[in-house]
Amino acid sequence: MAGIADVGFLEWYPRTGTIVLPPAAHTPTCDARDAASPQHLDAWLARLHPEDREAVRTGFTQFATDCAAPPEIHYRQRSENGDYLWFAAYLEPIRDDRGRLDRVLIVHQDVTRRKESEERALHLVQHDPLTGLPGRSLLEPMAAQMLAGAGRSGRRLAVLFVDLDRFKAINDTYGHAAGDEVLRQTAQRLCASFRADDLVARLGGDEFVIVLANIRDEDDAATAAGTAVAALARPYPVAEQELTCLPSIGISLYPDDATTVDALIKCADQAMYHAKHVTPGQFQFAAVALERQTRAVTALKASLREAVSQNGFRLLYQPALDLRSGAVIGVEALLRWPQADGSEIAPLVFLPIAESIGLIHDLGAWVLREVLRQHRAWLAEGLPPIAVTVNVSARQFRHQSFLQRITDALRDGGVAPALVSLAVGEATLLQDTTVSRRLLDKLHALGVRVALDDFGLGPSCLGEIEDLPLDALEINRTLVQGLDGGVRAPAIVETIVRLGHALQIKVTAIGIETEAELGAVRDLGCDRAQGFYLGKPMTGDALADWYRRRPSTPGSNPCPPLESPS
């Protein structure tokens, strides 16, 4: 039976410490050394893995005291060839005629294969299957252990939060297989950039966390982060293409910024977002980022209020052209905030702050008034009526006074409503399609046109879009940029064009920067195009000059590249 079950037996005499092998218990599982002359427990324990010896001795001794056996005692024993095998031992008391413990029967079984299977299963659960890095479930206990060690020794520790800029665009343009390859190469580069005792883990998506052990100061953390930035900034060779995906890294320090793993990761995450918006492709420290962000936001709020009250903004106009005739069919009004030193603050920076403090409505009203004023100026200079597109934020669109503000501006502006188009984001319109449909109907009743902005990469439901009374679709610039070398982007753009034509609405390709992109969108059936290759954003006066200089010879190349005034 022992042979069939592949188990072995040993007998241990607690009073003498002797271990012997019963004569009738020789099985394939038994070690030849166990079958030799009796040996002391210490000699037998010496053949176990050093990490297991004391635990086994304690288990045996405790059993000899109260005969309360643990379910199993697991240990690693060195085989004759020097390898360690896993065994599971079960203990059974053997008593003498007086009922006292005489010896202990040790039934042991080789469970190496079971242990290996368990370890493989645990590895799959705790590690990211794509990159092989520790996952979130393993990151926390490993980082906690490193944190505890740093606390006991008085050392410092750093947490780096890494995010890949524009990774979603790679997935959407080149496919998930390309995105997966970028993530695998990212993991390899990160592992090569850090020391063996540092922890590199993947949280999910394009987010990675590195825990730096035993650093002296923030300079060590900055040096490590700089090494990672340099490694990840190199192009990724994927499917015979060179893809670029710059990293933004946030850094938190223990014990300066936080004293728990979760808090350190959160601080590093916030610093990463600050880096992404302020210094893309670089790193930021949590303390510095928070201090700078607080000061910058406070200053921006004050400056925004002053700029709104004193008309401190300006508008630039970028032309959109008909792809068949080359005619200018409209312009998009682009908001700019110039500074005293000649620089500009990007809309991505100040518009969210304007929304948070309620200035977006006054700012939007100023934009519409200025657009209508400029339109009247163009007409006075002899230009034909040019349709103008104005971007509308989600908070503006949902505000109860939005429709009234549009109505008042059109009444006072003296411009035909049909020459005003409002560009509204996909997420804004689909947030509540019933409310959106009702509001779009009222805008159409005023004569105002509505374009669906940045279409193609959001969570659209085509059935919902079909129900919305739209006048135009504007294709997201990321898809346009992917037309040169991507596989999926052309198919997506062609689908959008067919959808627009099926709904009898015009489709505009945004962000045309090369002749190849222009040719691609024209071949895919787009109706209109807009971008630097066709015309840069210009002031109202510069646009008027640009328009007058445009070639208008019948039969000339539609949409030639046109130089914009400096």
Side-chain angles (χ1 to χ4, degrees), residues 404-479:
Q404 189 60 49
R405 287 175 182 267
I406 298 294
T407 303
D408 294 343
L410 290 173
R411 183 190 62 237
D412 300 336
V415 175
L419 295 175
V420 176
S421 177
L422 303 179
V424 186
E426 181 180 342
T428 301
L429 287 176
L430 297 184
Q431 181 180 350
D432 187 333
T433 53
T434 301
V435 173
S436 296
R437 189 181 306 111
R438 188 182 305 124
L439 187 53
L440 293 182
D441 286 338
K442 292 179 179 179
L443 288 171
H444 279 146
L446 291 175
V448 175
R449 300 178 182 276
V450 179
L452 180 58
D453 191 22
D454 269 346
F455 184 68
L457 296 182
S460 301
C461 174
L462 298 184
E464 293 177 331
I465 292 176
E466 182 182 6
D467 293 335
L468 295 176
L470 298 169
D471 300 288
L473 288 178
E474 296 183 353
I475 300 175
N476 187 288
R477 69 182 65 226
T478 302
L479 289 173

Side-chain angles (χ1 to χ4, degrees), residues 342-355:
S343 64
E344 290 184 346
I345 297 179
L348 287 176
V349 174
F350 70 80
L351 285 180
I353 297 176
E355 289 201 345

Side-chain angles (χ1 to χ4, degrees), residues 318-322 327-332 385-389 530 543 546:
Q318 186 172 35
L321 277 59
D322 184 280
V328 177
I329 48 86
V331 295
E332 180 182 5
I386 300 175
V388 183
T389 298
Q530 176 184 329
L543 182 88
W546 172 87

Side-chain angles (χ1 to χ4, degrees), residues 256-457:
D256 308 64
D257 299 315
T259 56
T260 66
V261 173
D262 288 342
L264 284 166
I265 292 176
K266 183 177 181 180
C267 287
D269 186 14
Q270 292 172 344
M272 179 276 296
Y273 273 103
H274 185 67
K276 185 181 286 288
H277 290 101
V278 177
T279 56
Q282 297 297 324
F283 61 85
Q284 287 280 337
F285 281 91
V288 176
L290 182 60
E291 181 182 357
R292 287 179 178 172
Q293 187 174 21
T294 302
R295 289 203 309 264
V297 169
T298 301
L300 273 176
K301 287 179 180 179
S303 298
L304 268 173
R305 291 188 174 95
E306 182 180 358
V308 170
S309 64
Q310 298 184 7
N311 295 333
F313 297 91
R314 69 169 180 161
L315 291 179
L316 299 181
Y317 301 89
Q318 186 172 35
L321 277 59
D322 184 280
L323 284 176
R324 291 188 178 85
S325 65
V328 177
I329 48 86
V331 295
E332 180 182 5
L334 302 172
L335 184 61
R336 296 292 184 263
W337 186 11
Q339 303 299 296
D341 61 0
S343 64
E344 290 184 346
I345 297 179
L348 287 176
V349 174
F350 70 80
L351 285 180
I353 297 176
E355 289 201 345
S356 69
I357 60 178
L359 285 178
I360 193 67
H361 308 295
D362 292 338
L363 188 55
W366 176 86
V367 168
L368 189 54
R369 290 196 304 270
E370 178 61 18
V371 161
L372 298 177
R373 183 205 64 77
Q374 182 62 67
H375 195 281
R376 294 195 305 272
W378 285 333
L379 293 177
E381 293 180 30
L383 268 66
I386 300 175
V388 183
T389 298
V390 176
N391 292 287
V392 175
S393 74
R395 185 159 295 188
Q396 285 178 273
F397 188 75
R398 295 295 175 192
H399 197 268
Q400 58 185 2
S401 67
F402 174 67
L403 189 64
Q404 189 60 49
R405 287 175 182 267
I406 298 294
T407 303
D408 294 343
L410 290 173
R411 183 190 62 237
D412 300 336
V415 175
L419 295 175
V420 176
S421 177
L422 303 179
V424 186
E426 181 180 342
T428 301
L429 287 176
L430 297 184
Q431 181 180 350
D432 187 333
T433 53
T434 301
V435 173
S436 296
R437 189 181 306 111
R438 188 182 305 124
L439 187 53
L440 293 182
D441 286 338
K442 292 179 179 179
L443 288 171
H444 279 146
L446 291 175
V448 175
R449 300 178 182 276
V450 179
L452 180 58
D453 191 22
D454 269 346
F455 184 68
L457 296 182

Side-chain angles (χ1 to χ4, degrees), residues 146-159 211-212 214-218 221 251-261 263-264 267 286-287:
M146 296 172 68
L147 197 65
R152 287 191 300 268
S153 61
R155 298 193 308 268
R156 302 180 75 184
L157 180 147
V159 172
V211 182
L212 301 180
N214 193 22
I215 63 167
R216 292 169 298 180
D217 49 35
E218 55 267 22
I251 307 172
S252 62
L253 300 174
Y254 167 86
D256 308 64
D257 299 315
T259 56
T260 66
V261 173
L264 284 166
C267 287

Side-chain angles (χ1 to χ4, degrees), residues 56 59-60 63 106 223 292 306 340 385 410 417 420 423 452 502 509 523:
V56 173
F60 282 13
F63 182 77
I106 304 170
T223 300
R292 287 179 178 172
E306 182 180 358
L410 290 173
V420 176
L452 180 58
D523 293 342

